[in-house]
Amino acid sequence: MTQIGIAGIAGRMGKLLAEEVAAAGCTLTGGTGRADDPRALFERSEVVIDFTHAHAAPRHAALAAELGRGLVLGSSGLSAEEEAAVAEAAKRAPIVYAANFATGVNLVLAMAEKLAAALPGSQYDAEIVEMHHRQKVDAPSGTAIALGRAVARGRGTTLEEAGRESGRDGHTGARGTGTIGFAALRGGQVVGEHTLLFAAGSEHIALTHRSFDRRAYATGAVRAAQWLKGKPPGLYSMNDVLGLG
């Protein structure tokens, strides 16, 4: 049985994760609150799941590297510096870092890359629309950014090189060819909705995923924690966990 600890166990996701750890037959080693030192949790766990805040990710990744523990990281909104700190820690610890742990979302990401490879940016504009609950503080969502990166990979480039268009307002001029557009909607208690649209002059192709229950994220994270046990240091994704290649 995998010994799993949960950072932020008292939160909404933390409670769901605790339930899924038990449902998977794993051992829950405890959790941390906002004021707790996470070191003790890492010391008694084989893998720690972290869905807390972006600013906590470097600290948790550093502890995983120091103590040789696994880390499943699902926090969104990490800066480039925070992502670099996680990647550095992954040289000494196995870390699964994903924008979204729902199985369906990761299948959509895989399909997005394949579609982008077949639909050139000179002919098909890529637009990503996402909607979340009114309390979400970062935009676009981590999953939307992951979709943009998947499109860019499929086209043999990066999101930064392709260029992002978001927050359009007023006289913005014509849409840039090959850029990737983002629109973020916020309202109510929407768990998460993402649509990737490829728009050409003669046809539109859309991929949509809707989450109705946060438990899908918790189930995927616990699956990732079980998969991560015993793995060598490295920065892994849900593609690795699901065997998508």
Side-chain angles (χ1 to χ4, degrees):
M1 294 187 293
T2 308
Q3 298 175 321
I4 301 174
I6 300 170
I9 196 169
R12 181 166 49 186
M13 272 301 299
K15 292 175 181 177
L16 284 175
L17 285 164
E19 292 174 5
E20 290 303 304
V21 167
C26 299
T27 300
L28 179 63
T29 59
T32 58
R34 290 185 178 181
D36 297 330
D37 183 345
R39 174 176 287 275
L41 179 64
F42 275 84
E43 288 176 341
R44 63 176 178 265
S45 306
E46 292 176 305
V47 182
V48 171
I49 302 176
D50 175 18
F51 272 73
T52 56
H53 301 284
H55 64 75
R59 167 66 170 155
H60 291 158
L63 279 171
E66 177 188 344
L67 300 172
R69 303 298 194 261
L71 175 65
V72 172
L73 180 59
S75 301
S76 63
L78 271 67
S79 66
E81 292 77 12
E82 289 163 340
E83 287 191 338
V86 171
E88 182 64 27
K91 295 176 182 178
R92 295 187 290 148
I95 298 176
V96 173
Y97 174 39
N100 194 305
F101 281 85
T103 300
V105 166
N106 285 280
L107 292 172
V108 166
L109 289 170
M111 288 188 287
E113 185 171 346
K114 291 183 181 297
L115 281 171
L119 304 171
S122 59
Q123 300 174 37
Y124 291 82
D125 297 320
E127 291 283 320
I128 298 164
V129 181
E130 55 98 342
M131 184 169 185
H132 286 81
H133 52 87
R134 66 193 312 273
Q135 293 89 359
K136 188 170 178 60
V137 298
D138 59 306
S141 69
T143 300
I145 295 296
L147 276 169
R149 288 175 173 169
V151 171
R153 280 196 306 274
R155 292 178 171 172
T157 184
T158 66
L159 181 57
E160 291 73 24
E161 291 174 346
R164 288 170 52 175
E165 291 197 20
S166 59
R168 300 185 183 103
D169 184 49
H171 295 282
T172 60
R175 188 193 192 285
T177 300
T179 61
I180 299 172
F182 293 86
L185 311 180
R186 297 289 179 268
Q189 294 301 314
V190 177
V191 173
E193 297 182 2
H194 296 85
T195 294
L196 167 60
L197 175 68
F198 291 99
S202 58
E203 64 177 354
H204 288 181
I205 303 166
L207 281 175
T208 297
H209 181 276
R210 295 185 177 93
S211 295
F212 301 107
D213 192 329
R214 289 176 178 81
R215 190 172 298 277
Y217 311 144
T219 302
V222 172
R223 180 175 179 177
Q226 292 176 289
W227 178 88
L228 195 60
K229 179 180 178 180
K231 291 292 187 297
L235 188 58
Y236 300 99
S237 70
M238 279 300 285
N239 276 0
D240 298 307
V241 176
L242 298 174
L244 297 177

Coordinates of all heavy atoms in Angstrom, one line a residue, residues 107-174:
L107 N -6.7 13.0 -22.0 CA -7.0 12.5 -23.3 C -7.3 13.6 -24.3 O -6.9 13.6 -25.5 CB -8.2 11.5 -23.3 CG -8.0 10.2 -22.5 CD1 -9.3 9.5 -22.3 CD2 -6.9 9.4 -23.2
V108 N -8.0 14.7 -23.9 CA -8.2 15.8 -24.7 C -6.9 16.5 -25.1 O -6.7 16.9 -26.3 CB -9.2 16.8 -24.1 CG1 -9.2 18.2 -24.8 CG2 -10.6 16.2 -24.0
L109 N -6.0 16.6 -24.1 CA -4.7 17.2 -24.4 C -4.0 16.5 -25.5 O -3.3 17.0 -26.4 CB -3.9 17.3 -23.1 CG -4.3 18.3 -22.1 CD1 -3.6 18.1 -20.8 CD2 -4.2 19.8 -22.6
A110 N -4.0 15.1 -25.4 CA -3.3 14.3 -26.4 C -4.0 14.5 -27.8 O -3.3 14.6 -28.8 CB -3.4 12.8 -26.0
M111 N -5.3 14.6 -27.8 CA -6.0 14.8 -29.1 C -5.7 16.1 -29.7 O -5.6 16.3 -30.9 CB -7.5 14.5 -28.9 CG -7.9 13.1 -28.7 SD -9.7 12.8 -28.7 CE -10.1 13.5 -27.2
A112 N -5.6 17.1 -28.8 CA -5.3 18.5 -29.2 C -4.0 18.6 -30.0 O -3.9 19.3 -31.0 CB -5.3 19.4 -28.0
E113 N -3.0 17.9 -29.4 CA -1.7 17.9 -30.1 C -1.8 17.3 -31.5 O -1.2 17.8 -32.5 CB -0.7 17.2 -29.2 CG 0.7 17.3 -29.8 CD 1.8 16.8 -28.8 OE1 1.5 16.7 -27.6 OE2 2.9 16.6 -29.2
K114 N -2.5 16.1 -31.6 CA -2.6 15.4 -32.8 C -3.4 16.3 -33.9 O -3.0 16.3 -35.0 CB -3.3 14.1 -32.6 CG -2.4 13.1 -31.9 CD -3.1 11.8 -31.7 CE -2.2 10.8 -31.0 NZ -1.0 10.5 -31.6
L115 N -4.5 16.9 -33.4 CA -5.3 17.7 -34.3 C -4.4 18.9 -34.8 O -4.5 19.3 -36.0 CB -6.5 18.2 -33.6 CG -7.7 17.2 -33.5 CD1 -8.8 17.8 -32.6 CD2 -8.2 16.9 -34.9
A116 N -3.7 19.5 -33.9 CA -2.9 20.7 -34.3 C -1.8 20.4 -35.3 O -1.5 21.2 -36.2 CB -2.2 21.3 -33.0
A117 N -1.3 19.1 -35.2 CA -0.3 18.7 -36.2 C -0.9 18.6 -37.6 O -0.2 18.7 -38.6 CB 0.3 17.4 -35.8
A118 N -2.2 18.3 -37.6 CA -2.9 18.1 -38.9 C -3.6 19.3 -39.5 O -4.0 19.4 -40.6 CB -3.9 17.0 -38.8
L119 N -3.7 20.4 -38.6 CA -4.4 21.6 -39.0 C -3.5 22.8 -38.9 O -3.3 23.4 -37.8 CB -5.7 21.8 -38.0 CG -6.6 20.6 -38.0 CD1 -7.7 20.8 -36.9 CD2 -7.3 20.4 -39.3
P120 N -2.8 23.2 -39.9 CA -1.8 24.2 -39.9 C -2.4 25.6 -39.4 O -3.5 25.9 -39.8 CB -1.3 24.3 -41.3 CG -2.4 23.7 -42.2 CD -3.0 22.6 -41.3
G121 N -1.5 26.3 -38.7 CA -1.9 27.5 -38.1 C -2.2 28.6 -39.2 O -2.9 29.6 -38.9
S122 N -1.7 28.4 -40.4 CA -1.9 29.4 -41.5 C -3.3 29.3 -42.0 O -3.8 30.2 -42.6 CB -0.9 29.1 -42.6 OG -1.1 27.8 -43.1
Q123 N -4.0 28.2 -41.7 CA -5.4 28.0 -42.2 C -6.4 27.8 -41.1 O -7.6 28.1 -41.3 CB -5.4 26.7 -43.1 CG -4.5 26.8 -44.3 CD -4.5 25.4 -45.0 OE1 -5.5 24.8 -45.1 NE2 -3.3 25.1 -45.5
Y124 N -6.0 27.3 -39.9 CA -6.9 27.1 -38.8 C -6.5 27.9 -37.6 O -5.4 27.7 -37.0 CB -6.9 25.6 -38.4 CG -7.6 24.7 -39.5 CD1 -6.8 24.3 -40.6 CD2 -8.9 24.3 -39.3 CE1 -7.4 23.5 -41.5 CE2 -9.5 23.5 -40.3 CZ -8.7 23.1 -41.4 OH -9.3 22.3 -42.3
D125 N -7.3 28.8 -37.2 CA -7.1 29.6 -36.0 C -7.4 28.8 -34.8 O -8.5 28.1 -34.7 CB -7.9 30.9 -36.0 CG -7.6 31.8 -37.1 OD1 -6.4 32.0 -37.4 OD2 -8.5 32.4 -37.7
A126 N -6.6 28.8 -33.7 CA -6.8 28.0 -32.5 C -7.3 28.9 -31.4 O -6.6 29.9 -31.1 CB -5.6 27.3 -32.1
E127 N -8.5 28.7 -30.9 CA -9.0 29.5 -29.8 C -9.4 28.6 -28.6 O -10.0 27.5 -28.9 CB -10.3 30.3 -30.3 CG -10.0 31.4 -31.3 CD -9.4 32.6 -30.6 OE1 -9.8 33.0 -29.5 OE2 -8.5 33.2 -31.2
I128 N -9.1 29.0 -27.4 CA -9.4 28.2 -26.2 C -10.3 29.0 -25.3 O -9.9 30.2 -24.9 CB -8.1 27.8 -25.5 CG1 -7.2 27.0 -26.4 CG2 -8.4 27.1 -24.2 CD1 -5.8 26.8 -26.0
V129 N -11.4 28.5 -25.0 CA -12.4 29.1 -24.1 C -12.5 28.3 -22.8 O -12.8 27.1 -22.9 CB -13.8 29.3 -24.7 CG1 -14.7 30.0 -23.8 CG2 -13.6 30.1 -26.1
E130 N -12.4 28.9 -21.7 CA -12.5 28.2 -20.4 C -13.4 28.9 -19.5 O -13.5 30.2 -19.5 CB -11.2 27.9 -19.8 CG -10.3 29.1 -19.5 CD -10.3 29.6 -18.1 OE1 -11.3 29.3 -17.3 OE2 -9.4 30.4 -17.7
M131 N -14.2 28.2 -18.6 CA -15.0 28.8 -17.6 C -14.8 28.1 -16.3 O -14.8 26.8 -16.2 CB -16.5 28.8 -18.0 CG -17.4 29.5 -17.0 SD -19.1 29.8 -17.6 CE -19.7 30.8 -16.2
H132 N -14.7 28.8 -15.2 CA -14.6 28.3 -13.9 C -15.4 29.1 -12.9 O -15.9 30.2 -13.2 CB -13.1 28.3 -13.4 CG -12.3 27.3 -14.1 ND1 -11.7 27.4 -15.3 CD2 -11.9 26.0 -13.6 CE1 -11.1 26.3 -15.6 NE2 -11.1 25.5 -14.6
H133 N -15.5 28.6 -11.7 CA -16.2 29.2 -10.6 C -15.7 30.6 -10.3 O -14.5 31.0 -10.6 CB -16.1 28.4 -9.3 CG -14.7 28.0 -8.9 ND1 -13.9 28.8 -8.2 CD2 -14.0 26.9 -9.3 CE1 -12.7 28.2 -8.0 NE2 -12.7 27.1 -8.7
R134 N -16.5 31.4 -9.7 CA -16.1 32.9 -9.5 C -15.0 33.1 -8.5 O -14.4 34.1 -8.5 CB -17.4 33.6 -9.0 CG -17.9 33.2 -7.6 CD -19.3 33.7 -7.3 NE -19.4 35.2 -7.6 CZ -19.1 36.1 -6.7 NH1 -18.6 35.8 -5.6 NH2 -19.2 37.4 -7.1
Q135 N -14.6 32.0 -7.7 CA -13.5 32.2 -6.7 C -12.1 32.0 -7.3 O -11.1 32.3 -6.7 CB -13.7 31.2 -5.6 CG -14.9 31.6 -4.7 CD -16.2 30.9 -5.1 OE1 -16.2 30.1 -6.1 NE2 -17.3 31.1 -4.4
K136 N -12.1 31.4 -8.6 CA -10.8 31.1 -9.1 C -10.0 32.4 -9.4 O -10.5 33.4 -10.0 CB -10.9 30.3 -10.5 CG -9.6 29.8 -11.0 CD -9.8 28.9 -12.2 CE -8.5 28.4 -12.8 NZ -7.7 27.6 -11.8
V137 N -8.7 32.4 -8.9 CA -7.9 33.6 -8.9 C -7.0 33.8 -10.1 O -6.5 34.9 -10.4 CB -7.1 33.8 -7.6 CG1 -8.0 33.8 -6.4 CG2 -6.1 32.6 -7.5
D138 N -6.7 32.7 -10.9 CA -5.7 32.8 -12.0 C -6.5 32.6 -13.3 O -7.5 31.9 -13.4 CB -4.6 31.8 -11.9 CG -5.1 30.4 -11.8 OD1 -5.9 30.1 -10.9 OD2 -4.7 29.5 -12.6
A139 N -6.0 33.3 -14.3 CA -6.6 33.2 -15.7 C -5.6 33.5 -16.7 O -4.7 34.4 -16.5 CB -7.8 34.2 -15.8
P140 N -5.5 32.8 -17.8 CA -6.3 31.6 -18.1 C -6.0 30.5 -17.1 O -4.9 30.5 -16.5 CB -6.0 31.2 -19.5 CG -5.3 32.4 -20.1 CD -4.6 33.1 -19.0
S141 N -6.8 29.5 -17.1 CA -6.6 28.3 -16.2 C -5.3 27.6 -16.6 O -4.9 27.7 -17.8 CB -7.8 27.4 -16.2 OG -7.9 26.8 -17.4
G142 N -4.8 26.8 -15.7 CA -3.7 26.0 -16.0 C -4.0 25.0 -17.1 O -3.1 24.7 -17.9
T143 N -5.2 24.5 -17.1 CA -5.6 23.5 -18.1 C -5.7 24.2 -19.5 O -5.3 23.6 -20.5 CB -6.9 22.9 -17.8 OG1 -6.8 22.2 -16.5 CG2 -7.4 21.9 -18.9
A144 N -6.2 25.4 -19.5 CA -6.2 26.2 -20.8 C -4.8 26.4 -21.3 O -4.5 26.3 -22.5 CB -6.9 27.5 -20.6
I145 N -3.9 26.8 -20.5 CA -2.5 27.0 -20.9 C -1.9 25.7 -21.4 O -1.2 25.6 -22.4 CB -1.6 27.5 -19.7 CG1 -2.1 28.9 -19.3 CG2 -0.2 27.5 -20.1 CD1 -1.9 30.0 -20.3
A146 N -2.2 24.6 -20.7 CA -1.8 23.2 -21.2 C -2.3 22.9 -22.6 O -1.6 22.4 -23.4 CB -2.2 22.2 -20.2
L147 N -3.6 23.3 -22.8 CA -4.1 23.1 -24.2 C -3.4 23.9 -25.2 O -3.1 23.5 -26.3 CB -5.6 23.5 -24.2 CG -6.6 22.4 -23.7 CD1 -8.0 23.1 -23.5 CD2 -6.7 21.3 -24.7
G148 N -3.1 25.2 -24.8 CA -2.3 26.0 -25.7 C -0.9 25.4 -26.0 O -0.5 25.5 -27.2
R149 N -0.3 24.9 -25.0 CA 1.0 24.3 -25.2 C 0.9 23.0 -26.1 O 1.8 22.7 -26.9 CB 1.7 24.0 -23.9 CG 2.1 25.2 -23.1 CD 2.6 24.9 -21.7 NE 3.2 26.1 -21.1 CZ 3.5 26.2 -19.8 NH1 3.3 25.1 -19.0 NH2 4.0 27.3 -19.3
A150 N -0.2 22.3 -25.9 CA -0.4 21.1 -26.7 C -0.5 21.5 -28.2 O 0.0 20.8 -29.1 CB -1.6 20.3 -26.2
V151 N -1.3 22.5 -28.5 CA -1.5 23.0 -29.8 C -0.1 23.4 -30.4 O 0.2 23.1 -31.6 CB -2.5 24.1 -29.9 CG1 -2.5 24.8 -31.3 CG2 -3.9 23.7 -29.5
A152 N 0.6 24.2 -29.6 CA 1.9 24.6 -30.1 C 2.9 23.5 -30.4 O 3.6 23.5 -31.4 CB 2.6 25.6 -29.1
R153 N 2.9 22.5 -29.5 CA 3.7 21.3 -29.8 C 3.4 20.6 -31.1 O 4.2 20.2 -31.8 CB 3.7 20.3 -28.6 CG 4.5 20.7 -27.4 CD 4.6 19.4 -26.5 NE 3.3 18.9 -26.1 CZ 2.6 19.3 -25.1 NH1 3.0 20.3 -24.3 NH2 1.5 18.7 -24.8
G154 N 2.1 20.5 -31.3 CA 1.6 19.8 -32.5 C 2.0 20.6 -33.7 O 2.2 19.9 -34.8
R155 N 2.2 21.9 -33.6 CA 2.7 22.7 -34.7 C 4.2 22.9 -34.8 O 4.7 23.7 -35.5 CB 1.9 24.0 -34.7 CG 0.4 23.8 -35.0 CD -0.4 25.1 -34.9 NE -1.7 24.9 -35.4 CZ -2.7 25.8 -35.3 NH1 -2.5 27.0 -34.8 NH2 -3.9 25.5 -35.8
G156 N 4.9 22.2 -33.9 CA 6.3 22.2 -33.9 C 6.9 23.5 -33.4 O 8.0 23.9 -33.8
T157 N 6.2 24.1 -32.4 CA 6.7 25.4 -31.8 C 6.4 25.4 -30.4 O 6.0 24.4 -29.8 CB 6.1 26.6 -32.6 OG1 6.7 27.8 -32.0 CG2 4.6 26.7 -32.4
T158 N 6.5 26.5 -29.7 CA 6.1 26.7 -28.3 C 5.0 27.7 -28.2 O 4.8 28.6 -29.2 CB 7.3 27.1 -27.5 OG1 7.7 28.5 -27.9 CG2 8.5 26.2 -27.6
L159 N 4.3 27.8 -27.1 CA 3.3 28.8 -26.9 C 3.9 30.2 -27.0 O 3.3 31.1 -27.5 CB 2.6 28.5 -25.6 CG 1.4 29.4 -25.2 CD1 0.3 29.4 -26.3 CD2 0.8 29.0 -23.9
E160 N 5.0 30.3 -26.4 CA 5.7 31.6 -26.4 C 6.0 32.1 -27.8 O 5.9 33.3 -28.1 CB 6.9 31.6 -25.5 CG 6.6 31.4 -24.0 CD 6.2 30.0 -23.6 OE1 6.5 29.1 -24.4 OE2 5.5 29.9 -22.6
E161 N 6.5 31.2 -28.6 CA 6.9 31.5 -30.0 C 5.7 31.8 -30.9 O 5.7 32.7 -31.7 CB 7.8 30.4 -30.6 CG 9.2 30.3 -29.9 CD 10.0 29.1 -30.4 OE1 9.4 28.3 -31.1 OE2 11.2 29.1 -30.2
A162 N 4.7 31.0 -30.7 CA 3.4 31.1 -31.5 C 2.8 32.5 -31.1 O 2.2 33.1 -32.0 CB 2.5 30.0 -31.2
G163 N 2.8 32.8 -29.9 CA 2.1 34.1 -29.4 C 0.7 33.8 -28.9 O 0.0 33.0 -29.4
R164 N 0.4 34.5 -27.8 CA -0.9 34.4 -27.2 C -1.7 35.6 -27.4 O -1.2 36.8 -27.4 CB -0.7 34.2 -25.7 CG -0.2 32.9 -25.2 CD 0.1 32.8 -23.8 NE -0.9 33.3 -22.9 CZ -0.8 33.3 -21.6 NH1 0.2 32.8 -21.0 NH2 -1.8 33.7 -20.8
E165 N -3.0 35.4 -27.7 CA -4.0 36.5 -27.8 C -5.0 36.3 -26.7 O -5.7 35.3 -26.7 CB -4.6 36.6 -29.2 CG -3.6 37.0 -30.3 CD -4.4 37.5 -31.5 OE1 -5.5 37.8 -31.4 OE2 -3.7 37.5 -32.6
S166 N -5.2 37.2 -25.8 CA -6.2 37.1 -24.8 C -6.6 38.5 -24.3 O -6.0 39.5 -24.5 CB -5.7 36.3 -23.6 OG -4.5 36.9 -23.0
G167 N -7.8 38.5 -23.6 CA -8.3 39.8 -23.1 C -8.6 40.8 -24.2 O -8.3 42.0 -24.0
R168 N -9.1 40.4 -25.3 CA -9.3 41.3 -26.4 C -10.4 42.3 -26.0 O -11.4 42.0 -25.4 CB -9.8 40.6 -27.7 CG -8.8 39.6 -28.2 CD -9.3 39.0 -29.5 NE -8.4 38.0 -30.1 CZ -8.6 36.7 -30.0 NH1 -9.7 36.2 -29.4 NH2 -7.7 35.8 -30.5
D169 N -10.2 43.6 -26.3 CA -11.1 44.7 -25.9 C -10.8 45.9 -26.8 O -9.7 46.3 -27.0 CB -11.0 45.0 -24.5 CG -12.1 46.0 -24.0 OD1 -13.2 45.8 -24.3 OD2 -11.7 47.0 -23.4
G170 N -11.9 46.5 -27.4 CA -11.6 47.6 -28.2 C -11.1 47.3 -29.6 O -11.3 46.2 -30.1
H171 N -10.5 48.2 -30.2 CA -10.0 48.0 -31.6 C -8.6 47.4 -31.5 O -7.6 48.0 -31.3 CB -9.8 49.4 -32.3 CG -11.2 50.1 -32.5 ND1 -12.0 49.7 -33.5 CD2 -11.8 51.0 -31.8 CE1 -13.1 50.4 -33.5 NE2 -13.0 51.3 -32.4
T172 N -8.6 46.0 -31.6 CA -7.4 45.3 -31.4 C -6.7 44.9 -32.7 O -5.6 44.4 -32.7 CB -7.7 43.9 -30.7 OG1 -8.7 43.2 -31.5 CG2 -8.3 44.2 -29.3
G173 N -7.3 45.2 -33.8 CA -6.8 44.9 -35.1 C -7.1 43.4 -35.5 O -7.7 42.7 -34.7
A174 N -6.7 43.0 -36.6 CA -7.0 41.6 -37.1 C -6.2 40.6 -36.2 O -5.2 40.9 -35.6 CB -6.5 41.5 -38.5

